[in-house]
Amino acid sequence: MTEVRLRRVYGRPEPDDGARVLVDRVWPRGLSKEDARLDHWEKDVAPSTDLRKWYGHDPERFAEFRRRYEAELDDPSRAAALDRLRALADEGTLTLLTATKDAERSQAAVLAALLNGVR
């Protein structure tokens, strides 16, 4: 089984990152595309704007955010994007990137858990 990692996009790329994929809907503030060193930007897998705004990165809402976000991943365009992430993970190490300060309570964390087979 390959490893799916989680990192903030503002951190320095590491040689063992494998495929680096941004999973945010909007581009991170103050970061150039060159500095991001992305292999892909999979914005279609990101949560809806309404869900993202409702969540507001409130740690007390994370469990409900996760439930709602996993339901959104059944949407055909999001499901296709998730399948693309699965295919990348099948090829080797995959690093999911987010601009969120609390990466462990973000859509990237939900995706990493799903791709690593953790519920």
Side-chain angles (χ1 to χ4, degrees):
M1 182 174 184
T2 58
E3 181 181 6
V4 178
R5 299 176 180 178
L6 172 64
R7 290 212 170 112
R8 289 196 70 221
V9 70
Y10 296 107
R12 184 170 24 105
E14 299 293 332
D16 61 346
D17 278 348
R20 293 173 47 85
V21 181
L22 179 65
V23 293
D24 292 349
R25 182 167 306 285
V26 297
W27 187 260
R29 290 182 186 182
L31 184 68
S32 72
K33 290 186 179 183
E34 181 179 294
D35 288 343
R37 294 193 31 209
L38 300 179
D39 294 300
H40 303 282
W41 180 13
E42 200 59 72
K43 57 185 151 184
D44 288 340
V45 79
S48 67
T49 300
D50 287 343
L51 179 57
R52 185 176 49 83
K53 287 181 178 181
W54 170 85
Y55 175 41
H57 302 286
D58 178 347
E60 292 184 15
R61 290 185 172 183
F62 183 69
E64 180 63 16
F65 167 78
R66 178 185 192 116
R67 187 192 68 72
R68 292 181 187 191
Y69 179 46
E70 287 179 353
E72 282 190 353
L73 290 171
D74 289 335
D75 172 79
S77 65
R78 285 188 184 87
L82 183 58
D83 285 344
R84 289 189 293 273
L85 292 177
R86 279 191 185 103
L88 286 171
D90 286 345
E91 293 174 11
T93 302
L94 172 63
T95 300
L96 301 180
L97 302 165
T98 182
T100 306
K101 288 181 183 176
D102 186 358
E104 296 299 323
R105 290 189 190 100
S106 70
Q107 78 276 3
V110 174
L111 292 168
L114 288 172
L115 293 168
N116 281 321
V118 179
R119 292 297 253 164

